[in-house]
């Protein structure tokens, strides 16, 4: 068996291989990715598909002088293997040495930290402009998938690339898939280009003013090396459209393009399989929505290409036109929802908060300013959590909280969550953002955790009339306002205050973050001198700051805000984050002691 | 002289005219717009160009049952005239009865409040989906200019429109202009379509999966009526590409497409002309930048289609490739700047904060997370000011303040502004957002207003080492922290406190909003018990909330935050806003008295 990888510690070593040896190298890299991702999890199909293209790029171009910008960069594993980071793919002890995305701190061959979609062309146009202003002449290459191309930023970039008159190479990696199927009119055009071996007159790249080449077999190293040699040093922008096979090398991933996009570590997957079907926030949400849809044909669920999170394939098939995947197009998703609401429909958008950042202006101008009814379920992949810095949900509530006209809710229990969804879809008649809870913490869990009944039993778990705070336990001296997912932490803080300070604290579930319940806060003045706010996200712009402001002119109430500092965190362990932000019952009790 | 307008109080009246009479009506409407906009100011060229198209739309379609969505809606004057609002264009006493944009509260013929670009297609796709879910069959029409088409949201919308299989009519109003010239590769394609009478194979609309019609003379009512009759009731999406003449009917506007886009009221224009060339924030900025560019060929100024604000035509010509207009493409502009910074260039982006909302995710992910050097000059058209609700700059600082990794500065004087620009471009080596001051308030003005020297004379007006607060006047009891443009208000509040309460207040120019100067705040504890924060923008997410948080656990300091509530304001007079938000020295002094 050949073992080319042994001798490759960077692109210079790769260039020593004969062209005929490149397919052998591809087999080795593919095997390494198959083995690692199966064991440790990660992006699967996207990386398996681009092994040959990555080899050919590094064979022909001179990285890092020539600059390759990987879109989303979830397909950068082969690139990492070829640029000095192979141990992280070959040696299980080093599997966690690298992140799943490009990262300049890892290698000089990585130019940006990337995890969002459709950014590569614009950033590459910028690299090219910076090159030109400095009088250099390196090649700049953007590597982007067909799924990413529907993103507004990518299309803006394509349009601007088309107006350039200097070197820029855009490699379009067309594997016929987004995370799920592609959605949008442009994909018919890409299909025609594939069907005509790139000869079709219908060519959006030429339309945007770009030169164009087509490679029918984007997994053929010889063809790829040839085309990259042709375009190396080109004096104008060109698109090299390569047709690749997502998931190549894994029969399972080739058959199951959507499921094969990303996979869990094998051990975790087996655990889940053994556990059988269990309820999850996703399953509870989709069951609720499907029932709503059956009763009301104007309810429509919308995703921007993340259907896998929340909308399983069989659901999509059952509800038909009551489900829309707009593709990777968050701006459109929100404006689209606003239009539906205006026309008498009941749109429900599910979107991760990190991607919702793409639609900040649409949330404000196209939706909130209009006041059209729409339910936005803001998902996170974890807020104060060990996520990649490119996917953190830590900023979602602060983002939504700076937008006027949005009603922002943060349910703390499963029952509240469903009651809020019900209200928002059927009765709110305005735009509502619901921060989806991370767990199915229930009212029963809450009662059990408290060791007794909640103070106020209400008909339903969400008082839709005045969006008021909900008092979970009435006490004195200290009021704990624990937002959404942090209600459980609030219960623990309350127990700690009882144990350490003998204080029977009041515990409040604020339920909304977009405004304070002034009446509830004012009512605290009588018996309390310290208010503690707990929120699973950024302090700046968050809910706690508004509570603090309510009491800022009032020397009788000390307010202690707990949440995240304004910073980026990259896969920082949760306990480290919670410690750093003092989100621990012991620490909070100590702060309260000083404040009492 | 005919006078059709007399008898037209809505689209039903228009339909009574013979087709041959429509050009006469067009003349009347054009004359009304010429007269009103010359006298009262407003969008000029865009409205003059679409008179015939608007007549034809309302002649053929049945508004408001059929729904017309106007992109940006700055071209909606003829639509307003035809839908019951003609007095606002014919009678000077009623000139201010309508806003410059569509507004559902004005008329059932307006479906959205619109002022941002590129939203019409997505919102129309939503209206169409809502129609389909409800089993109705009205026509939905998006009316969008060629300049708007480069916006990512418009392209996302186009791609999604192409995937529809029900009625949607997109009228592309191609007048060959954005606000300034169009920029981007797609515009060559539009030119080819015009040159070939719509027959070119290079057709981005067909590429996106849309049917297509071309009207060579988009100011010919007969041709327009004919094409609209053809597409009325169509069962799939179609683009009707009409070639119109921006500014038609005004020789001046036809010759001066950019200047003719919008005009000041005649009286104001004459005053300005009489005053001759005066310094403005724009002129000071561009002079500074041009000097920088001469000294350093890697400095590059970037605009997203608002070159008219800040970058005059002669400047653009002189600096050549050191100026880039990316077209209406804010997302691209920020990612592009990040790439330039990464490649050793010095990008300076000028953008209105209301449009920067489009690039929220790019500011966070593509720029701040990368830490690449870039200077973003965040302009506003007025923050707490009588702007349209679609163009308010009131949200800019709060928006930028929720993004980690951005250094946010708010200069209070002209000298500070230039010192910050200088620092950011040459030495900061990180992304910096500078909230451009609204005036040229100078250090000399400040000294004069204070009635004496400032407390700290520093070498330079911006301490770049630690981004510290600047103490303007040292006093006791009360500290006034007056951000950016509100330093002048801070001076007035200080005088009021002296006069009414006999307090010599400390006055601080914070200079930065992205972080508090903890040392400076802690130093206030000694001699002060009340801190007053003043900011020209949203309280939620703003600078004052962070100051309040700094003291929230400290009962020795009362903090009074002044700024704007989280709400939309539509052309509300400034004095009303300042009164509502208690931004008046007398009111603040009274609040301080109670807090002392």
């Amino acid at each position: 068996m050949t073992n080319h990888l042994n001798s490759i510690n960077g692109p210079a070593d790769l260039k020593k291989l004969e062209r005929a040896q490149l397919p052998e190298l591809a087999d080795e890299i593919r095997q390494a990715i198959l083995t690692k991702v199966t064991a440790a999890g990660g992006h699967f199909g996207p990386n398996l598909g681009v092994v040959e293209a990555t080899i050919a790029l590094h064979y022909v171009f001179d990285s890092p002088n020539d600059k390759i910008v990987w879109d989303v960069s979830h397909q950068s594993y082969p690139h990492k293997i070829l640029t000095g980071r192979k141990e992280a793919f070959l040696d299980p002890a080093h599997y966690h040495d690298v992140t799943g995305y490009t990262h300049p701190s890892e290698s000089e061959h990585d130019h940006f930290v990337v995890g969002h979609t459709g950014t590569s062309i614009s950033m590459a146009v910028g690299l090219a402009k910076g090159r030109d202003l400095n009088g250099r002449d390196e090649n700049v290459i953007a590597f982007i998938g067909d799924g990413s191309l529907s993103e507004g930023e990518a299309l803006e970039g394509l349009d601007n690339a088309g107006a350039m008159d200097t070197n820029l190479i855009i490699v379009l990696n067309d594997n016929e898939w987004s995370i799920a199927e592609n959605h949008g009119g442009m994909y018919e055009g890409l299909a025609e280009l594939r069907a005509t071996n790139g000869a079709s007159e219908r060519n959006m790249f030429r339309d945007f003013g770009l030169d164009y080449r087509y490679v029918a077999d984007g997994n053929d190293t010889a063809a790829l090396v040839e085309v990259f040699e042709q375009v190396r040093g080109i004096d104008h922008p060109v698109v090299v459209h390569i047709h690749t096979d997502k998931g190549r090398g894994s029969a399972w991933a080739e058959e199951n393009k959507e499921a094969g996009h990303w996979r869990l570590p094998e051990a975790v997957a087996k655990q889940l399989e053994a556990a059988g079907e269990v309820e999850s926030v996703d399953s509870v949400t989709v069951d609720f929505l499907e029932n709503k849809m059956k009763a009301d044909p104007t309810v429509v669920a919308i995703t921007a290409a993340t259907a896998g999170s929340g909308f399983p394939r069989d659901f999509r098939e059952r509800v038909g036109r009551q489900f829309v995947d707009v593709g990777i197009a968050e701006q459109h998703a929100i404006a689209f929802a606003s239009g539906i609401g205006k026309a008498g429909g009941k749109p429900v958008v599910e979107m991760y908060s990190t991607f919702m950042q793409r639609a900040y202006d649409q949330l404000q101008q196209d939706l909130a300013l209009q006041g059209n009814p729409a339910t936005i379920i803001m998902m996170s992949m974890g807020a104060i959590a060990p996520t990649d810095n490119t996917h953190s949900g830590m900023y979602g509530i602060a983002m939504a909280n700076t937008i006027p006209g949005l009603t922002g809710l943060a349910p703390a229990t499963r029952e509240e969550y469903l009651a809020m969804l019900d209200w928002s879809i059927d009765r709110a008649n305005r735009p509502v953002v619901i921060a989806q809870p991370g767990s199915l913490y229930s009212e029963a869990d809450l009662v059990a955790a408290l060791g007794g009944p909640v103070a106020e039993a209400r008909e339903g778990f969400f008082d839709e009339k005045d969006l008021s705070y909900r008092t979970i336990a009435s006490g004195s001296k200290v009021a704990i306002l624990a937002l959404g997912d942090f209600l459980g932490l609030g219960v623990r803080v309350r127990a700690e205050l009882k144990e350490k300070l003998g204080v029977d604290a009041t515990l409040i579930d604020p339920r909304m973050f977009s405004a304070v319940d002034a009446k509830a806060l004012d009512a605290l003045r009588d018996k309390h001198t310290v208010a503690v706010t707990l929120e699973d996200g950024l302090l700046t712009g968050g809910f706690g700051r508004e509570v603090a402001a309510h009491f800022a002119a009032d020397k009788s109430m000390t307010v202690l805000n707990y949440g995240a500092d304004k910073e980026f965190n990259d896969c920082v362990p949760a306990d480290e984050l919670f410690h750093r932000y003092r989100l621990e019952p012991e620490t909070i009790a100590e702060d309260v002691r000083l404040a009492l």
Side-chain angles (χ1 to χ4, degrees), chain A:
Chain A
M1 179 187 150
T2 58
N3 199 331
H4 300 300
L5 265 185
N6 266 350
S7 63
I8 295 181
N9 294 307
D13 299 322
L14 167 62
K15 292 177 206 299
K16 293 175 193 158
L17 295 187
E18 300 297 325
R19 291 178 187 214
Q21 295 173 310
L22 299 181
E24 298 162 3
L25 175 64
D27 288 344
E28 290 177 46
I29 292 175
R30 184 163 277 117
Q31 195 52 53
I33 292 170
L34 274 165
T35 305
K36 172 177 177 178
V37 177
T38 301
H43 281 96
F44 199 57
N47 282 294
L48 294 174
V50 304
V51 172
E52 289 80 7
T54 308
I55 291 172
L57 282 171
H58 280 296
Y59 195 73
V60 172
F61 293 100
D62 177 31
S63 175
N65 184 43
D66 290 334
K67 295 174 178 60
I68 308 168
V69 185
W70 300 92
D71 203 90
V72 206
S73 80
H74 61 209
Q75 80 293 61
S76 61
Y77 300 0
H79 165 77
K80 292 198 177 195
I81 290 172
L82 292 173
T83 53
R85 288 166 279 181
K86 65 184 179 191
E87 291 311 319
F89 294 84
L90 296 170
D91 179 353
H94 289 278
Y95 275 174
H96 296 288
D97 286 3
V98 298
T99 71
Y101 302 92
T102 56
H103 217 307
S105 65
E106 277 182 16
S107 167
E108 61 179 353
H109 296 275
D110 294 3
H111 305 285
F112 299 98
V113 191
V114 186
H116 286 200
T117 306
T119 70
S120 62
I121 301 175
S122 291
M123 297 206 288
V125 172
L127 288 180
K129 182 72 185 178
R131 169 199 66 199
D132 297 345
L133 289 168
N134 280 280
R136 300 192 308 265
D137 68 353
E138 70 268 16
N139 289 278
V140 175
I141 301 124
F143 190 99
I144 184 168
D146 53 322
S148 297
L149 214 56
S150 60
E151 184 77 85
E153 184 179 357
L155 292 166
E156 289 183 1
L158 204 62
D159 184 42
N160 272 278
M164 288 175 60
D165 58 3
T166 58
N167 171 280
L168 179 76
I169 298 158
I170 298 169
V171 180
L172 173 69
N173 171 39
D174 182 357
N175 59 28
E176 303 181 44
W177 280 81
S178 179
I179 300 172
E181 299 91 348
N182 283 315
H183 291 275
M186 72 169 68
Y187 293 103
E188 284 174 31
L190 292 188
E192 266 189 41
L193 283 167
R194 292 192 303 268
T196 59
N197 200 27
S200 167
E201 287 284 350
R202 179 173 173 179
N203 182 320
M204 64 179 285
F205 309 105
R206 291 201 189 278
D207 275 5
F208 275 87
L210 294 143
D211 196 0
Y212 177 81
R213 311 285 163 102
Y214 183 72
V215 178
D217 184 354
N219 296 98
D220 174 354
T221 51
L224 291 163
V225 167
E226 190 186 331
V227 74
F228 292 148
E229 285 184 337
Q230 284 168 15
V231 299
R232 184 177 53 196
I234 198 167
D235 66 355
H236 60 272
V238 62
V239 169
V240 179
H241 179 183
I242 66 174
H243 183 203
T244 63
D245 189 3
K246 188 171 182 173
R248 189 185 186 95
S250 158
W252 171 77
E254 287 194 74
E255 281 302 302
N256 299 279
K257 302 279 187 187
E258 185 176 343
H261 179 79
W262 187 87
R263 59 186 296 171
L264 286 164
E266 194 165 38
V268 178
K270 280 192 175 149
Q271 272 176 1
L272 287 178
E273 207 180 330
E277 273 207 33
V278 289
E279 278 198 321
S280 65
V281 175
D282 279 353
S283 72
V284 165
T285 307
V286 79
D287 288 349
F288 178 87
L289 288 177
E290 191 166 352
N291 281 329
K292 274 268 171 244
M293 287 172 174
K294 277 184 192 151
D296 184 343
T298 70
V299 176
V300 57
I302 299 163
T303 184
T306 58
S309 309
F311 300 126
R313 189 164 285 277
D314 57 338
F315 161 81
R316 296 176 228 166
E317 281 160 12
R318 281 195 303 274
V319 303
R321 69 173 191 167
Q322 284 179 268
F323 168 78
V324 181
D325 183 348
V326 300
I328 305 185
E330 293 83 4
Q331 302 180 83
H332 174 79
I334 299 298
F336 175 60
S338 180
I340 293 173
K342 177 74 183 177
K346 296 177 175 175
V348 182
V349 181
E350 272 201 20
M351 197 180 282
Y352 285 105
S353 75
T354 189
F355 301 141
M356 199 181 290
Q357 295 173 179
R358 278 286 165 87
Y360 185 82
D361 188 52
Q362 287 72 26
L363 283 167
Q364 198 214 59
Q365 289 283 310
D366 300 357
L367 182 60
L369 178 58
Q370 314 302 327
N372 290 334
T375 302
I376 315 287
I377 302 176
M378 182 166 72
M379 306 182 291
S380 77
M381 302 176 200
I384 300 179
T387 57
D388 289 283
N389 54 10
T390 50
H391 287 77
S392 174
M394 202 168 93
Y395 314 105
I397 285 180
M399 167 179 66
N401 201 20
T402 57
I403 298 176
L406 285 183
T407 297
L409 304 177
T413 68
R414 165 199 183 125
E415 289 83 355
E416 276 186 1
Y417 174 49
L418 296 179
M420 288 174 182
L421 268 179
D422 192 63
W423 171 75
S424 177
I425 294 171
D426 278 337
R427 298 181 302 281
N429 207 30
R430 57 175 134 164
V432 176
V433 172
I434 301 176
Q436 189 180 60
S439 74
L440 287 174
Y441 193 77
S442 71
E443 294 287 325
D445 294 333
L446 178 59
V447 170
L450 279 172
V454 303
E456 288 181 35
R458 278 205 178 120
E459 190 67 25
F461 297 98
F462 178 59
D463 183 340
E464 65 198 54
K465 284 190 193 67
D466 54 4
L467 296 173
S468 63
Y469 288 179
R470 177 184 179 202
T471 303
I472 299 291
S474 289
S476 62
K477 291 189 180 167
V478 180
I480 304 161
L481 295 100
L483 189 72
D485 274 335
F486 272 12
L487 183 59
L489 175 62
V491 171
R492 293 193 293 128
V493 170
R494 185 170 180 275
E496 184 78 13
L497 294 179
K498 176 75 183 168
E499 188 189 324
K500 294 284 170 62
L501 309 178
V503 168
D504 271 313
T506 292
L507 179 62
I508 290 174
D509 164 15
R511 301 193 293 195
M512 65 174 166
F513 61 81
S514 56
V516 296
D517 178 346
K519 221 169 99 185
L521 291 182
D522 287 340
L524 293 176
R525 290 181 210 270
D526 259 2
K527 294 205 229 160
H528 306 78
T529 59
V530 176
V532 172
T533 69
L534 306 173
E535 63 194 303
D536 192 11
L538 209 58
L539 285 166
T540 300
F543 132 88
R545 290 290 193 253
E546 298 307 297
V547 173
H550 186 85
F551 293 116
D554 183 347
K555 289 185 183 171
S556 68
M557 187 74 80
T558 300
V559 181
L560 305 175
N561 288 156
Y562 297 89
D565 290 342
K566 187 168 67 171
E567 60 186 354
F568 291 110
N569 291 307
D570 200 16
C571 303
V572 179
D575 54 356
E576 189 180 327
L577 289 174
F578 278 68
H579 183 71
R580 186 195 301 165
Y581 298 143
R582 307 180 67 81
L583 286 161
E584 295 163 330
E586 306 72 28
T587 322
I588 294 171
E590 179 56 21
D591 291 347
V592 168
R593 190 184 64 77
L594 294 172
L596 274 171

